[in-house]
Amino acid sequence: MQLKVGDTVRFLNEKGEGTIKEFISSFRVRVEISDGIEIDMPVKELVPVSPISIKDIKVVHKETVSHQPKTNSLKQSKAHAKDEMTVDLHIEKLLEDHYGLNNTEKLNIQVRHFRKKLEMAINGHFTKVVFIHGVGNGVLRQTIRDLLRTYEGLQYSDGEYKKFGAGATEVRIISRNKSRGSL
């Protein structure tokens, strides 16, 4: 099958899939994976994903339907002022298919997730958020703390060592009116 721009492909030697955005050469293509990240891949390492036709899908009707509520329902009650949130920023927790990404791409994804969760905490009724960034070489930790310094109404410190080790930053939301930083 001939590959073309717009085709959905899976990676032969890695987990994940993406969409072909452009041909760099007859041997390499640029593939867009999750969150708009683009990576260059050899054509020989891509497998086209064939679309499934509706006529190929078999529908099975259940005769009995359980009316018992699900125990792990996705409904969440509204947060209250005492609520705390823990966010794991390890790349393997954010993306299943992170193997083809370089360190800059991984950091950008982690920072984007950090900003989204911090904004959610500020807009919600959270008083504390713990961001687990790991120890590593400290780039993610420093980036997070640089961003936190742009906010008024937030305080941050190392996370609880007994619970998270040395790889966490705890953020306390002191004032919601002043917590609008330059995200």
Side-chain angles (χ1 to χ4, degrees), residues 138-147 149:
V139 174
L140 179 58
R141 176 185 184 269
Q142 190 59 49
T143 302
I144 286 171
R145 290 179 177 216
D146 289 344
L147 287 169
R149 278 195 269 292

Side-chain angles (χ1 to χ4, degrees), residues 70-81:
K70 293 182 180 178
T71 55
N72 59 352
S73 174
L74 295 177
K75 276 187 175 180
Q76 293 181 348
S77 63
K78 186 174 180 182
H80 299 285

Side-chain angles (χ1 to χ4, degrees), residues 12 29 32 64 69 91 111 125 147 151 163 170 176:
L12 187 61
V29 295
E32 181 181 332
T64 58
I91 194 68
V111 168
H125 297 279
L147 287 169
Y151 281 84
K163 196 170 184 180
E170 180 178 302
R176 297 194 189 289

Side-chain angles (χ1 to χ4, degrees), residues 102-154:
N102 64 37
N103 289 342
T104 302
E105 292 167 330
K106 290 176 185 178
L107 179 65
N108 287 337
I109 290 167
Q110 291 169 307
V111 168
R112 194 168 32 244
H113 189 71
F114 162 77
R115 289 178 178 194
K116 178 178 146 187
K117 292 299 186 177
L118 180 61
E119 191 65 29
M120 186 176 103
I122 291 169
N123 289 331
H125 297 279
F126 293 92
T127 57
K128 182 171 94 172
V129 186
V130 177
F131 291 97
I132 303 170
H133 43 70
V135 179
N137 58 15
V139 174
L140 179 58
R141 176 185 184 269
Q142 190 59 49
T143 302
I144 286 171
R145 290 179 177 216
D146 289 344
L147 287 169
L148 288 170
R149 278 195 269 292
T150 66
Y151 281 84
E152 292 180 30
L154 297 182

Side-chain angles (χ1 to χ4, degrees), residues 6-67:
D7 283 352
T8 301
V9 293
R10 291 193 183 215
F11 308 122
L12 187 61
N13 298 319
E14 299 177 18
K15 286 184 178 182
E17 67 179 47
T19 304
I20 296 177
K21 289 299 174 185
E22 69 176 293
F23 281 84
I24 299 168
S25 71
S26 57
F27 303 107
R28 292 190 74 76
V29 295
R30 183 156 291 135
V31 178
E32 181 181 332
I33 57 175
S34 62
D35 289 337
I37 304 293
E38 294 182 353
I39 58 173
D40 296 348
M41 293 290 295
V43 173
K44 66 181 182 179
E45 292 185 20
L46 300 176
V47 178
V49 176
S50 301
I52 299 173
S53 172
I54 287 290
K55 65 182 180 184
D56 296 335
I57 298 174
K58 183 178 180 181
V59 178
V60 177
H61 296 282
K62 280 190 163 185
E63 290 185 24
T64 58
V65 178
S66 173
H67 293 289

